[in-house]
Amino acid sequence: MNLISLISDLLWNNVLIFLLILAGIWFSVKLSFIQVSNFRHMFTLVKPTEKATRTGISPFQALMTSLAARVGTGNLAGVAIAISLGGPGAIFWMWLIALLGMATGYAESLLGQLYKVKDANGEYRGGPAYYIRLGLKLPRLASFFSLLIFIGYGFVFSSVQANTIAEAVNNSLGISNNITGIFIVLIAGIILIGGMKSIANSVSVLVPIMGLSYLVVALSICAINFDQLPNVLVLIVKSAFGLEEATSGLLGAAIINGIKRGLYSNEAGAGTVPHAAACASPNPRHPATQGFVQMFGVFLDTIVVCTATAMIILLAGMPDEGVTGIRLTQYALEFHFGSFGRDYILVAICLFSFTSIVANFVYAESNLHLIKFDNPMRKLIFIYLFLYMTFWGATSSLPEVWKLADLSLGLTTLINICVLLFLTPTIIAVTHDYKRQIKLGKLPQFTEQDKGDLVQGRLGKGIW
């Protein structure tokens, strides 16, 4: 465990934080700052009324699936940790890394959609392992990546999220972890056995309810304290550059913690979101469509939801030292709303963590096809093991599993960013093709016969 902790800290504190920033800058420049120039266009592609097809879920369902995994305890506890360690200025750097991360999120989701395949049931599957195998023609690296995702998201992360729910319920209501674990497994099992479309339908209901209710709470707090908002915004900006006397010594901490928590929250570049992006039937029928849709996901996660948490905390004022993480968010909501705030944050933690469990299953399940594990019997075995580990997580103490989770995410991020850089020519060419068709007044379409020369490697059979 000491070795795992050492490697994890080395990755996140000395390698990935710089690699992800450089990747954000790289793709922002290479794609002509697509997150700014196509910001309005991005909104036009998010259509909640679209329906799933026989082979894939709708783009909106793919967005909700990715948000189910993204929007979680990192948005509630991670923001509080960033403020505790780096001061209010950490929020500014969180915003900045999110803007850069939007370009990286676009790039990886475009590739996830471009190199997708059909599984044994004729449904779309994809992700980094698929564009490593088809785009770069590196099957061994693809298999290694699949194994990391399979273990990390199939077993480790579900345990962590279940433990978060069980501990929160036990601390607030006194219900034993065993009972909570059984309840989580029963509800999750009903959803998971229904397959990808059952999962997509579930998160398409839960995530909007969960997100909108949280934003309503945050906006209510902002409305009640409207006169203080300008001072809070000025405090964030001044603290970000060490101009606020009270936080002048926290400049380095603000930058590091804001960037780290922003990256951890929105997962841009981590290689997770492409799994959800690949499952969609895009409209218009072009790989760039899912790039734009999932770019919107980065914006929602960090610029919207994380900012909501920051406003809740900063408008309450900082309590005595020693209160951090989820306890700081709880303190702030209790300050604003009393007992309602305490009860609400419990419900929010449970919903955010539960939807993350379901979305984690999607990420792991997407790799079953690549490792020849997607026949009905083997898939049932995987569901059983996934649910068993979820129950185990709810009933165990998991400091070691948290470390393993960080290492797993760190390794997949390192591999994915390097692969994205090698596949940059394809990302640029496919993006230019989409924009060219838009300028000509056409509805963008992508076909292998016409556009195969734009991509590196080969595409999945019968997809385009």
Side-chain angles (χ1 to χ4, degrees):
M1 289 313 303
N2 288 336
L3 180 62
I4 287 173
S5 181
L6 178 66
I7 297 172
S8 178
D9 289 343
L10 179 67
L11 275 173
W12 282 106
N13 296 333
N14 300 288
V15 178
L16 291 177
I17 193 167
F18 300 107
L19 189 60
L20 285 163
I21 292 169
L22 289 173
I25 295 171
W26 170 265
F27 287 113
S28 294
V29 172
K30 288 292 183 178
L31 298 172
S32 303
F33 290 91
I34 196 168
Q35 65 270 58
V36 178
S37 60
N38 289 86
F39 186 76
R40 290 177 62 186
H41 180 69
M42 176 180 73
F43 283 88
T44 66
L45 297 174
V46 181
K47 303 170 184 175
T49 56
E50 283 192 68
K51 303 295 182 183
T53 66
R54 185 180 59 82
T55 53
I57 60 178
S58 74
F60 180 76
Q61 289 175 327
L63 174 62
M64 291 302 105
T65 302
S66 69
L67 283 174
R70 282 172 168 152
V71 179
T73 52
N75 299 79
L76 300 175
V79 174
I81 291 170
I83 294 173
S84 300
L85 299 178
I91 303 305
F92 175 88
W93 297 106
M94 192 177 284
W95 291 337
L96 183 62
I97 200 62
L99 287 173
L100 292 175
M102 287 171 73
T104 308
Y106 168 87
E108 64 179 352
S109 296
L110 179 151
L111 291 178
Q113 177 68 208
L114 178 66
Y115 289 104
K116 65 187 180 184
V117 301
K118 287 183 180 178
D119 67 7
N121 297 319
E123 296 181 342
Y124 292 137
R125 292 292 182 270
Y130 294 84
Y131 53 74
I132 292 171
R133 187 183 187 90
L134 297 175
L136 293 183
K137 298 181 180 179
L138 297 173
R140 290 184 179 178
L141 182 60
S143 298
F144 178 65
F145 189 95
S146 279
L147 189 62
L148 288 175
I149 291 289
F150 186 72
I151 294 172
Y153 284 86
F155 306 121
V156 177
F157 287 104
S158 63
S159 304
V160 169
Q161 297 294 346
N163 185 259
T164 300
I165 296 172
E167 289 297 321
V169 171
N170 181 260
N171 290 337
S172 298
L173 303 178
I175 297 174
S176 77
N177 289 19
N178 285 338
I179 294 174
T180 303
I182 291 171
F183 186 74
I184 294 169
V185 166
L186 285 175
I187 301 299
I190 292 169
I191 295 172
L192 300 184
I193 288 174
M196 183 63 218
K197 291 182 180 176
S198 171
I199 295 169
N201 288 332
S202 300
V203 297
S204 293
V205 174
L206 287 174
V207 172
I209 291 174
M210 168 178 87
L212 287 173
S213 69
Y214 191 64
L215 291 179
V216 167
V217 168
L219 289 172
S220 299
I221 292 171
C222 290
I224 294 169
N225 301 277
F226 186 76
D227 59 321
Q228 298 179 44
L229 280 179
N231 293 333
V232 169
L233 293 173
V234 169
L235 175 65
I236 289 173
V237 175
K238 282 187 174 182
S239 300
F241 297 96
L243 302 177
E244 185 71 21
E245 185 176 348
T247 58
S248 59
L250 294 175
L251 177 58
I255 296 172
I256 294 294
N257 284 285
I259 290 172
K260 186 187 293 186
R261 291 301 159 187
L263 291 170
Y264 203 87
S265 175
N266 61 53
E267 298 184 19
T272 52
V273 174
H275 295 98
C279 293
S281 294
N283 183 23
R285 195 173 179 275
H286 195 287
T289 304
Q290 267 300 297
F292 285 112
V293 170
Q294 297 299 340
M295 185 169 75
F296 182 56
V298 177
F299 174 81
L300 283 178
D301 174 87
T302 307
I303 304 296
V304 177
V305 180
C306 286
T307 301
T309 302
M311 292 298 109
I312 290 170
I313 293 171
L314 295 176
L315 287 169
M318 296 296 288
D320 297 332
E321 290 185 10
V323 180
T324 186
I326 196 64
R327 290 178 58 202
L328 179 56
T329 312
Q330 286 177 306
Y331 161 83
L333 277 166
E334 284 189 55
F335 176 87
H336 293 296
F337 291 125
S339 60
F340 168 78
R342 183 180 62 251
D343 296 337
Y344 176 80
I345 198 66
L346 172 62
V347 174
I349 290 170
C350 291
L351 274 177
F352 283 18
S353 298
F354 181 78
T355 54
S356 292
I357 290 172
V358 174
N360 288 343
F361 176 85
V362 173
Y363 293 167
E365 194 258 0
S366 291
N367 289 276
L368 293 181
H369 176 70
L370 199 69
I371 58 176
K372 311 298 182 186
F373 212 80
D374 64 338
N375 67 51
M377 182 56 68
R378 290 176 179 176
K379 192 173 287 188
L380 276 175
I381 293 171
F382 171 61
I383 292 175
Y384 171 79
L385 292 174
F386 181 89
L387 293 174
Y388 173 80
M389 288 300 294
T390 301
F391 178 78
W392 176 80
T395 57
S396 304
S397 177
L398 297 179
E400 291 85 5
V401 176
W402 271 106
K403 292 179 182 178
L404 192 61
D406 283 344
L407 177 60
S408 175
L409 185 62
L411 288 173
T412 57
T413 303
L414 179 64
I415 294 170
N416 186 57
I417 289 296
C418 293
V419 170
L420 292 180
L421 295 176
F422 279 110
L423 289 172
T424 297
T426 293
I427 296 166
I428 294 172
V430 174
T431 301
H432 285 172
D433 176 70
Y434 181 91
K435 289 183 175 181
R436 179 185 60 80
Q437 293 187 60
I438 289 287
K439 286 182 180 179
L440 293 174
K442 296 180 179 179
L443 186 69
Q445 296 289 319
F446 187 93
T447 60
E448 185 176 359
Q449 291 76 16
D450 297 334
K451 308 295 189 310
D453 57 329
L454 298 179
V455 305
Q456 295 160 264
R458 61 183 178 87
L459 300 177
K461 292 181 180 178
I463 303 297
W464 300 105

